Amino acid sequence: MGDKYQEYDKAIADADVKSNRDLDRLSKKENNVEFDKEYQKTDMEMNNTVFPKEADCKREADGYRREEKENQTALANPSTNRTYWAALLLLTVLSLVTRLHNIELPKHVCWDETHFGKMGGWYIKRTFFFDVHPPLGKMLIGFAGVLTGFDGMYPFEKPGDEYGEDVNYVGMRIFCALLGAALVPLCYMCTWLLTQSTIAAFFSGLLILLETGTLALSRHILLDPILLFFIMMSTYSVLKFLSYKDDPFSLCWACWLCMTGMALSAAIGVKFVGLFVILHVGVTTILDLWRLLGDKSNTLVDLAKHFLARAMCLIALPVIMYMVYFFIHFVVLNESGNGDGFYSSAFQSQLKGNKLYNVSMPENIAFGSIVTLKQRRTGGAYLHSHWHLYPEEHPPRQQQITSYTHKDENNKWLVKPSDHDVGEGEEPQIVRSGDLVRLEHVGTRRNLHSHREPAPLTKHHFQLSAYGSNGTGDSNDIWVIDIPGYAVGTPIQTARSKFRLIHYYVRCAVCSGDKKLPKWGWEQLEATCNPNLKDTRTLYSVEEVDDARMPNSSFELYSPSFWEKIVESHAVMTQGNSNLKPKEGEISSQPWQWPIDYKGQIFSGKSHRVYLLGNPMIFWGCLAVKSLFLVVFLVTSIRTQRGVRYTKVWRDYKEKTFRACWWLVMGWALHYLPFWPMTRILYFHHYFPALLFSAMMTGVMLDFLITLLCVSVPENLTVSVFHTCLGLVLSSLVYSFYLFHPMVYGMSGPMASEEGSQMHGLRWLSSWDL
């Protein structure tokens, strides 16, 4: 049918060309009579040409277009493609086998299992804690632990601790491994949706299957396999949604749009890195809306419906789901834990077992009261001291004053008048704004002190210290209570009043910063005396009061609303992330090191060594193919600009390939480049979301390059060249996995640099700790 329609089309075109050519020739003749005769002759020839009736031609054309659309639909439907399903099944089975093989080994805590296994246990025990990541990933780990018999009692104290025979840790590892195994089929299906090429999809899945770093992350109790799963689920869902662009507002179209929104909320609900896939989907959605705007068949009402559907499913739905995760988080973690001190007094008052829960204590403080002072900002720390002195490089060697984020006995201070001690039986005198006070550290009996020596880290601030003996010091121990915005004489109210402690002589205010002290300061936060009296970091409040002389008031703190809890939690997490700086001797990495596989991360020591390192053949191959793509695209663009013509089939194939590659490069860039300006500590595992997009792009380009090579050789060599290229790629990937798989499943014996090591000769870079 299509050939017949094309014959009609060609006959009409040839007749038009002949008619135009004859008319042009005759119009140049001067004899108008001859022109008329020739014109009539040409007109008769046109009339004698046999064409189908207009209705028949239109019917034939409609049938051809309908058949072509059906063929394209069949091509885009993998249910009719046996090769598609065979390759998908093979990759899925191999992914499960490689991820679950000896999953119980090593039988000790590996790397960050000490954090996330512990946090999963806290969910089971309903104990409140603080973490810099949103709660969904840890909740899922805890839920997996409940389903598999883990009681949450194992402490996960430090890497290397042996799991006892009665610790059901394997179930949580299996849960993470299953999500990690799903990455392979998801990458395969994503690539197929972009290219409709089984070869490209198979290459993409195989690259993730045999990538040792992704495999290592998937086999432990970590957030990374959960995050990677939801990132890829978001990617697959949006591509599946776009595949129904010709059938808008259908059930499948709506389901995949909603699935995209739910996967996006889950991705950012595990780690804030999920924001990058939200940006990727957001840019894709904007481009899709721009395409719809250019389609004149869409009315303004249609465009409004499209926009509203995307706003509801990709903005409103993820926000609602994200808040649901936190609602469950707050409901489950209702017992006091070691994370209380990171949050405000009002927040803590909601936790059972906290000293502020159903609080009953003096409403005001008096001279002679023992108090704890907490910085009045989200995530603020307690004013703290201990017996340790400042080192010699920070003279004078007086007792350290720090800021500490946890509740501790060393956070307690005795409030005294500036000129005498409070005697026994003395009537309590309320402390008010404008009073001169001394603060005696209860544990060491030294007074809060300052002088004009620079602070240890913030040199434009003055040093805070504890000075004296048995509560006796000097004039530099005197502080003025100041409540901003209130008159002198206003009483200090417990938990409500925001005040400053201003040094009487130096005229600086007690301040808690965000800088961590070195090991000599136990990596607690620096506390200083800030000359800028208007700095908001100088505001404190009294959180707890202990004074038997004062009547207790059964008052309730202003309980925070759910929205206030959400805001405070995010402020605390943001501050916690910004405070994640490299510790002395801690192994970290920089973004420039990640694509070149410069160095990895030790997961496990002892006799069963696990090392997180990307498969170098895949990492370096992805980098090379990415560079080659830019070269090929540039050369092709130049050739097209210079007028080089391609066949329609090759042009369509090339455009589809380049379009898929650029989309995947955008995904890689959005998950990689934002790490460059970050100031927080970074690790190698932060690169793996970007690696997923890099691997898919490499699979697409390998298929394109092999096809390009095949069409460039004589036709009789095409099959041989194709099978040779396919064999080289497959054998290289499998052999590289065979060489480096001990890094994942456990290395024993000598190090790689020694004779007899199973990894001998494979330490290709000196920075690898094999």
Side-chain angles (χ1 to χ4, degrees):
M1 185 183 296
D3 293 341
K4 186 176 182 181
Y5 175 72
Q6 290 176 349
E7 289 176 5
Y8 295 153
D9 193 28
K10 187 174 183 302
I12 295 173
D14 290 343
D16 286 341
V17 170
K18 182 177 183 301
S19 176
N20 290 335
R21 185 173 59 247
D22 291 342
L23 290 174
D24 183 63
R25 176 175 55 81
L26 293 174
S27 64
K28 297 178 181 178
K29 294 185 177 182
E30 297 180 356
N31 191 337
N32 292 331
V33 176
E34 183 180 355
F35 174 79
D36 291 338
K37 291 180 180 180
E38 290 290 343
Y39 180 82
Q40 292 172 1
K41 180 180 177 182
T42 302
D43 190 39
M44 290 176 62
E45 291 177 356
M46 287 286 294
N47 292 332
N48 291 332
T49 303
V50 179
F51 295 116
K53 294 180 180 179
E54 181 179 356
D56 293 337
C57 186
K58 185 176 185 301
R59 186 166 52 252
E60 295 280 0
D62 290 342
Y64 170 71
R65 294 189 183 99
R66 184 168 55 254
E67 182 180 355
E68 185 178 33
K69 184 175 180 180
E70 290 173 356
N71 290 336
Q72 290 177 350
T73 303
L75 180 65
N77 186 3
S79 62
T80 60
N81 191 333
R82 293 183 179 180
T83 305
Y84 171 93
W85 289 109
L88 178 60
L89 179 62
L90 175 63
L91 288 173
T92 302
V93 171
L94 291 176
S95 183
L96 288 169
V97 170
T98 54
R99 270 65 183 169
L100 295 175
H101 175 66
N102 287 340
I103 191 68
E104 73 280 1
L105 300 178
K107 296 183 178 182
H108 58 253
V109 179
C110 293
W111 196 46
D112 272 358
E113 284 187 337
T114 187
H115 298 305
F116 303 119
K118 183 186 302 179
M119 292 172 186
W122 281 336
Y123 273 106
I124 296 173
K125 295 184 293 184
R126 309 190 70 170
T127 303
F128 190 81
F129 64 92
F130 162 73
D131 186 40
V132 296
H133 305 301
L136 180 60
K138 284 97 63 180
M139 286 196 296
L140 291 175
I141 290 174
F143 183 64
V146 169
L147 293 180
T148 55
F150 178 61
D151 59 7
M153 300 307 295
Y154 185 75
F156 289 92
E157 288 184 357
K158 63 182 183 301
D161 286 353
E162 296 289 337
Y163 291 116
E165 294 296 329
D166 58 339
V167 180
N168 295 319
Y169 67 96
V170 177
M172 291 183 286
R173 281 190 180 174
I174 290 176
F175 168 73
C176 293
L178 291 175
L179 295 187
L183 298 177
V184 175
L186 282 173
C187 284
Y188 174 90
M189 293 187 292
C190 286
T191 307
W192 194 90
L193 286 171
L194 285 167
T195 62
Q196 280 75 54
S197 168
T198 305
I199 297 295
F202 185 76
F203 281 153
S204 298
L206 194 65
L207 286 167
I208 300 301
L209 172 69
L210 303 178
E211 206 293 291
T212 51
T214 309
L215 176 57
L217 287 173
S218 301
R219 291 172 48 84
H220 296 89
I221 306 170
L222 303 172
L223 296 184
D224 298 275
I226 307 174
L227 172 68
L228 294 175
F229 169 78
F230 285 123
I231 287 176
M232 284 311 304
M233 195 65 214
S234 302
T235 305
Y236 175 71
S237 298
V238 73
L239 289 174
K240 195 70 177 175
F241 161 71
L242 293 175
S243 69
Y244 289 97
K245 63 183 180 182
D246 294 331
D247 191 17
F249 304 106
S250 63
L251 180 60
C252 290
W253 181 92
C255 287
W256 283 110
L257 183 59
C258 291
M259 182 64 71
T260 303
M262 296 178 67
L264 290 176
S265 72
I268 198 170
V270 176
K271 279 188 176 183
F272 286 127
V273 173
L275 174 64
F276 302 149
V277 75
I278 291 178
L279 294 176
H280 192 206
V281 172
V283 172
T284 303
T285 303
I286 292 172
L287 294 176
D288 186 46
L289 287 173
W290 185 254
R291 175 189 62 82
L292 292 171
L293 182 63
D295 186 351
K296 295 182 179 180
S297 63
N298 290 316
T299 65
L300 291 178
V301 174
D302 294 333
L303 293 173
K305 289 180 180 178
H306 277 285
F307 178 82
L308 184 61
R310 287 158 175 79
M312 293 295 295
C313 295
L314 300 182
I315 299 177
L317 178 61
V319 169
I320 293 172
M321 293 300 299
Y322 185 73
M323 295 178 71
V324 167
Y325 306 146
F326 273 91
F327 178 79
I328 298 172
H329 171 74
F330 294 141
V331 169
V332 172
L333 300 184
N334 61 358
E335 300 282 348
S336 178
N338 66 355
D340 297 13
F342 290 92
Y343 293 82
S344 66
S345 303
F347 194 105
Q348 294 179 46
S349 68
Q350 307 298 300
L351 301 174
K352 297 177 181 178
N354 190 285
K355 290 183 178 180
L356 299 178
Y357 183 72
N358 290 332
V359 63
S360 178
M361 60 185 178
E363 189 173 357
N364 301 104
I365 67 171
F367 290 110
S369 299
I370 294 176
V371 301
T372 59
L373 302 177
K374 184 178 177 66
Q375 189 183 38
R376 193 62 181 257
R377 65 167 175 162
T378 302
Y382 297 94
L383 189 65
H384 178 93
S385 188
H386 38 237
W387 284 103
H388 302 280
L389 307 180
Y390 285 108
E392 293 182 358
E393 59 266 27
H394 299 292
R397 294 201 66 200
Q398 296 178 357
Q399 185 172 299
Q400 298 174 15
I401 297 291
T402 65
S403 292
Y404 193 43
T405 52
H406 299 277
K407 289 181 177 291
D408 190 274
E409 288 298 310
N410 282 328
N411 299 341
K412 293 184 176 181
W413 300 86
L414 173 64
V415 183
K416 303 183 298 184
S418 62
D419 53 356
H420 67 276
D421 291 340
V422 178
E424 292 186 12
E426 183 177 328
E427 287 294 322
Q429 180 183 348
I430 301 296
V431 177
R432 302 174 184 275
S433 177
D435 286 349
L436 301 182
V437 302
R438 287 176 297 153
L439 294 177
E440 179 186 318
H441 187 248
V442 173
T444 62
R445 298 214 59 196
R446 288 173 174 161
N447 295 333
L448 182 66
H449 180 96
S450 187
H451 38 231
R452 293 191 178 274
E453 294 292 334
L457 302 181
T458 310
K459 298 300 182 182
H460 61 283
H461 289 189
F462 298 116
Q463 185 189 74
L464 274 181
S465 64
Y467 179 74
S469 176
N470 295 323
T472 302
D474 61 20
S475 59
N476 279 330
D477 302 342
I478 300 176
W479 302 84
V480 181
I481 300 284
D482 174 56
I483 307 179
Y486 287 82
V488 173
T490 303
I492 302 294
Q493 289 185 303
T494 304
R496 292 187 176 92
S497 296
K498 295 187 288 186
F499 60 86
R500 291 186 172 96
L501 288 169
I502 301 175
H503 197 273
Y504 185 70
Y505 293 106
V506 181
R507 306 304 297 174
C508 58
V510 174
C511 177
S512 175
D514 298 326
K515 297 179 180 179
K516 277 190 177 181
L517 295 169
K519 285 189 175 181
W520 58 256
W522 302 93
E523 296 180 347
Q524 295 174 9
L525 298 177
E526 180 189 36
T528 64
C529 200
N530 189 348
N532 180 8
L533 301 183
K534 294 184 178 181
D535 194 325
T536 56
R537 296 176 299 171
T538 61
L539 291 173
Y540 280 79
S541 64
V542 174
E543 183 172 278
E544 298 177 22
V545 181
D546 182 8
D547 194 336
R549 303 169 304 160
M550 302 276 289
N552 287 338
S553 298
S554 182
F555 67 94
E556 292 186 4
L557 296 171
Y558 297 115
S559 299
S561 64
F562 173 70
W563 177 249
E564 289 172 332
K565 285 184 176 181
I566 288 278
V567 172
E568 181 173 351
S569 296
H570 283 78
V572 172
M573 287 188 289
T574 301
Q575 183 177 332
N577 270 300
S578 64
N579 289 335
L580 289 176
K581 307 296 181 184
K583 299 178 182 178
E584 188 175 340
E586 186 174 9
I587 297 176
S588 60
S589 60
Q590 298 300 318
W592 68 266
Q593 299 173 343
W594 302 341
I596 62 175
D597 213 20
Y598 182 74
K599 64 178 178 180
Q601 178 73 44
I602 297 174
F603 264 34
S604 169
K606 299 187 175 182
S607 59
H608 191 104
R609 301 192 303 275
V610 177
Y611 189 61
L612 174 66
L613 183 73
N615 186 325
M617 294 290 289
I618 292 177
F619 264 64
W620 298 340
C622 287
L623 195 60
V625 169
K626 202 179 287 99
S627 303
L628 191 58
F629 161 68
L630 297 177
V631 174
V632 171
F633 179 79
L634 180 62
V635 171
T636 304
S637 300
I638 293 174
R639 286 169 58 85
T640 302
Q641 189 67 17
R642 294 293 296 173
V644 177
R645 296 188 177 277
Y646 301 97
T647 63
K648 185 179 185 303
V649 173
W650 179 255
R651 186 172 62 252
D652 292 344
Y653 172 65
K654 174 175 63 68
E655 290 177 354
K656 177 183 287 187
T657 299
F658 287 169
R659 187 164 54 249
C661 285
W662 279 120
W663 192 81
L664 293 169
V665 167
M666 178 176 66
W668 170 83
L670 287 173
H671 284 84
Y672 172 57
L673 297 181
F675 287 105
W676 281 80
M678 287 188 185
T679 57
R680 59 152 287 171
I681 187 172
L682 297 173
Y683 300 101
F684 181 42
H685 69 90
H686 287 129
Y687 181 66
F688 283 86
L691 177 66
L692 296 177
F693 293 93
S694 181
M696 287 189 287
M697 196 279 290
T698 300
V700 175
M701 273 307 293
L702 283 175
D703 175 47
F704 178 81
L705 294 172
I706 292 175
T707 303
L708 180 61
L709 184 60
C710 289
V711 300
S712 302
V713 300
E715 188 174 350
N716 60 328
L717 298 177
T718 299
V719 176
S720 299
V721 169
F722 173 77
H723 287 133
T724 301
C725 293
L726 191 63
L728 285 174
V729 172
L730 295 180
S731 59
S732 299
L733 293 177
V734 172
Y735 184 61
S736 67
F737 178 77
Y738 167 76
L739 290 177
F740 290 97
H741 80 276
M743 298 187 304
V744 177
Y745 298 109
M747 299 173 286
S748 58
M751 299 296 286
S753 57
E754 303 175 27
E755 292 286 345
S757 170
Q758 64 185 128
M759 301 297 290
H760 183 66
L762 293 177
R763 193 185 181 197
W764 295 349
L765 296 180
S766 60
S767 53
W768 295 352
D769 297 321
L770 298 180

